[in-house]
Amino acid sequence: MAVMGILFPAVLHFTHTEVHFGKSELALSRFSSCIMLVAYASYLFFQLKSHSNLYDSIDEEREDNVDDSDEEEEALEISMWEEIAWLTTLTLWVSVLSGYLVDAIQGASDSWNMPVSFISVVLLPIVGNAAEHASAIMFAMKDKLDITLGVAIGSSTQISMFVIPFCVVVGWIMGQPMDLNFQLFETATLFITVLVVAFMLQEGTSNYFKGLMLILCYLIVAASFFVHVDNKSDDD
């Protein structure tokens, strides 16, 4: 659904089939963003409330096979309100640092002689999500593939189905014309990568060859962005 929401505004723009040039693309992006936010809220309600047993079934089956002597409940180290306070503080601090980071990207691109898209799409996610990647690998080594997929795919779902549409809606409220048109190259990359991951996961099993194929595909994507530069026209 995220691919659909991001794909159609780009196709509408590059095929020049808008009913009202410059307005239809923005209107479609805002409408799609609202729909995607509703879908993401429904997804959270389905996963956490109405059908949470579907997502707990794997863990429960594993817990049934564990001896009672190995089952130890971990004591809470901090309370819920302390967790909320820490998350709020860290979120505000990260938002401040992100502002400095965005301002430094262009300078880094010029000094390193690298495209901005390569730094934004490849280098920053690797460094910024290092802890997330490490935790996914650690859970995979413990044969907890469901948690690994939740970490790896859950963050992508959150960005594409919540963060991006939310930014479009906030821009709408603030009077800033933000849309879902991420240019043709980036949109095609998203479409292809989603297909690759979907085909890899459809069997419900994993092995080293599938992991190798995903790594090699990622190298192709990285190399593509290294030689790619967006040519923005005046109307963009």
Side-chain angles (χ1 to χ4, degrees), residues 163-206:
V163 177
I164 293 176
F166 183 74
C167 290
V168 173
V169 173
V170 171
W172 186 10
I173 296 174
M174 298 175 60
Q176 297 294 329
M178 299 180 64
D179 55 41
L180 296 177
N181 179 16
F182 283 86
Q183 305 302 318
L184 187 61
F185 185 85
E186 288 79 359
T187 304
T189 302
L190 174 66
F191 177 74
I192 296 173
T193 52
V194 169
L195 284 181
V196 170
V197 174
F199 284 133
M200 289 289 183
L201 296 177
Q202 64 180 356
E203 296 179 358
T205 59
S206 65

Side-chain angles (χ1 to χ4, degrees), residues 20 33 54 57 81 93 123 133 147 182 193 195:
H20 302 286
S33 296
L54 297 179
S57 58
W81 290 109
W93 179 242
L123 294 185
H133 299 159
I147 301 180
F182 283 86
T193 52
L195 284 181

Side-chain angles (χ1 to χ4, degrees), residues 20 32 36 57 91 93-94 97 109 114 117 137 148 160 175 195 221 235:
H20 302 286
S32 299
M36 292 164 70
S57 58
T91 300
W93 179 242
V94 169
L97 294 179
S109 174
M114 290 184 181
S117 58
I137 295 173
T148 301
S160 60
L195 284 181
V221 172
D235 60 324

Side-chain angles (χ1 to χ4, degrees), residues 79-192:
S79 64
M80 182 185 68
W81 290 109
E82 289 176 330
E83 294 175 352
I84 295 176
W86 274 110
L87 286 174
T88 302
T89 303
L90 292 176
T91 300
L92 293 176
W93 179 242
V94 169
S95 64
V96 174
L97 294 179
S98 299
Y100 291 105
L101 180 63
V102 171
D103 295 335
I105 289 179
Q106 186 61 52
S109 174
D110 296 335
S111 61
W112 294 348
N113 196 23
M114 290 184 181
V116 175
S117 58
F118 178 79
I119 297 177
S120 304
V121 177
V122 179
L123 294 185
L124 286 183
I126 291 178
V127 177
N129 298 329
E132 186 176 275
H133 299 159
S135 62
I137 295 173
M138 181 179 61
F139 285 123
M141 293 176 63
K142 295 181 180 179
D143 198 25
K144 295 183 178 180
L145 188 58
D146 52 330
I147 301 180
T148 301
L149 293 178
V151 172
I153 301 179
S155 60
S156 300
T157 304
Q158 184 183 58
I159 294 297
S160 60
M161 290 293 293
F162 173 71
V163 177
I164 293 176
F166 183 74
C167 290
V168 173
V169 173
V170 171
W172 186 10
I173 296 174
M174 298 175 60
Q176 297 294 329
M178 299 180 64
D179 55 41
L180 296 177
N181 179 16
F182 283 86
Q183 305 302 318
L184 187 61
F185 185 85
E186 288 79 359
T187 304
T189 302
L190 174 66
F191 177 74
I192 296 173

